[in-house]
Amino acid sequence: MKIPVMEVFGPTIQGEGMVIGRKTMFVRTAGCDFRCSWCDSKFTWDGTAKDDIRMMTAEDIMNELKAVGGDCFDHVTISGGNPALIKGLSSLVTLLHAEGCEVALETQGSKFQDWMTDINQLTLSPKPPSSGMVHNLAVLDSIINQVNKERISLKVVVFDDADYAFARTIHQRYPELKFYLQVGNPYLDETVSNHTEKLLERYEELIDRVMDDHQMNSVFVTPQLHTLLWSNKKGV
C-alpha cells in the first residue's frame, strides 16, 4: 500500500511534545480529518500543495530518508496532517524499526490504527476550543486504552482562557499520562516582525499561569521550539 507523502526532511530537532529537542527526521503525510483555524500545516489538507503529494511505498520513503539524512539519524517523526488516517503506515513503521530507528507519531487522537501500538513515542494532541473543532473524547479514551501508556503523552495547545480550561479538563481526565501544555502560535503571517520575542512573551504568560495553578503541578510547559528558531519556515 502506498503512502501519501508531502515532504521528507531533516535531520532537525523535534520542536514539540514528549521528545522536544530530539534529533529526528520528519515524514509529513497528506490529509487530515480536522480543519483547525490556526493550523500551521494547512497545506497538508487544503489543496494548495496537492501537486506536492507523492504516493510512496515504505521502501521509497526509507530510501529518501537515507538520501536526505545520510547516516545522521536514528529517529523518525511521522507528522501531518493526521497520519493516523493511513492504514498503510504499518509497513513504514515496521521497516523503520528494522533499520534501527525509533518512531514518533503526532496525531490529535481522532482515529486508531493497529500499527499505533508499535510507535515508540505517541503524542496525542486533542484540539482546544480555539481550533473550531469539537473533540470526541470517547475516541481518545479508546486509543489510550489500546496503547502502552508509557509510550503516550498528551499535548494541548493553548491560545486563550477557554483553551486553558480545556487543557485542565484533559489533564484531570488522564492524570496518569505525561501532559504537555504548549503555547499557541498566532503569528502565521510571514510578515510579522519580532516573531520570536512575541512568542516568548506568550510562553512566559503561560508559565506564570501554570505556576499559580495547583491542579497543574505535574505538567510540562513548552514552547513550539522550532518556531522560536526558524519562525514559520517549512522543512525544518
Side-chain angles (χ1 to χ4, degrees):
M1 186 177 294
K2 292 190 175 183
I3 299 162
V5 176
M6 298 292 310
E7 53 183 351
V8 174
F9 62 92
T12 184
I13 58 165
Q14 170 56 261
E16 305 179 1
M18 67 193 299
V19 286
I20 188 170
R22 177 67 158 92
K23 182 180 179 182
T24 190
M25 295 290 291
F26 273 86
V27 176
R28 187 183 300 280
T29 62
C32 192
D33 49 334
F34 277 23
R35 298 291 184 267
C36 296
S37 61
W38 36 252
C39 179
D40 59 3
S41 303
K42 287 184 178 180
F43 63 92
T44 63
W45 52 262
D46 67 1
T48 58
K50 62 181 179 181
D51 292 338
D52 295 334
I53 299 172
R54 293 175 292 160
M55 300 304 297
M56 304 175 71
T57 65
E59 291 75 16
D60 293 335
I61 297 170
M62 191 72 242
N63 289 338
E64 184 153 339
L65 284 166
K66 291 179 178 179
V68 174
D71 61 356
C72 293
F73 70 97
D74 62 3
H75 188 278
V76 175
T77 300
I78 304 173
S79 185
N82 183 9
L85 299 176
I86 305 169
K87 292 182 179 180
L89 279 173
S90 58
S91 57
L92 177 61
V93 174
T94 299
L95 181 56
L96 288 170
H97 283 153
E99 292 283 343
C101 293
E102 289 190 358
V103 185
L105 176 72
E106 298 179 350
T107 175
Q108 60 262 41
S110 60
K111 179 74 174 178
F112 177 76
Q113 302 285 355
D114 289 341
W115 53 261
M116 289 168 65
T117 61
D118 295 324
I119 295 296
N120 298 96
Q121 297 103 18
L122 175 60
T123 298
L124 301 174
S125 184
K127 304 308 178 189
S130 65
S131 69
M133 300 291 103
V134 177
H135 212 98
N136 186 334
L137 295 184
V139 174
L140 188 62
D141 290 343
S142 176
I143 294 171
I144 290 171
N145 289 332
Q146 294 180 79
V147 179
N148 183 338
K149 291 181 175 57
E150 292 184 359
R151 300 186 179 190
I152 300 175
S153 70
L154 290 166
K155 181 189 73 180
V156 174
V157 179
V158 175
F159 283 85
D160 55 30
D161 290 347
D163 289 355
Y164 188 83
F166 175 81
R168 289 179 70 181
T169 298
I170 295 295
H171 182 43
Q172 291 164 11
R173 188 180 183 96
Y174 312 102
E176 75 280 11
L177 297 179
K178 287 185 178 180
F179 189 82
Y180 292 78
L181 280 177
Q182 179 179 297
V183 65
N185 173 19
Y187 311 118
L188 299 182
D189 186 343
E190 293 289 351
T191 64
V192 172
S193 60
N194 301 320
H195 186 256
T196 297
E197 181 180 342
K198 290 177 180 178
L199 285 177
L200 285 173
E201 289 175 357
R202 291 176 60 84
Y203 181 38
E204 186 174 8
E205 290 171 1
L206 182 58
I207 290 172
D208 290 342
R209 184 165 194 169
V210 173
M211 296 309 105
D212 292 330
D213 188 348
H214 72 277
Q215 295 189 44
M216 297 294 238
N217 286 351
S218 60
V219 306
F220 298 81
V221 189
T222 65
Q224 197 178 35
L225 188 56
H226 55 285
T227 63
L228 295 181
L229 294 169
W230 299 298
S231 188
N232 299 309
K233 184 179 179 181
K234 288 177 60 179
V236 292

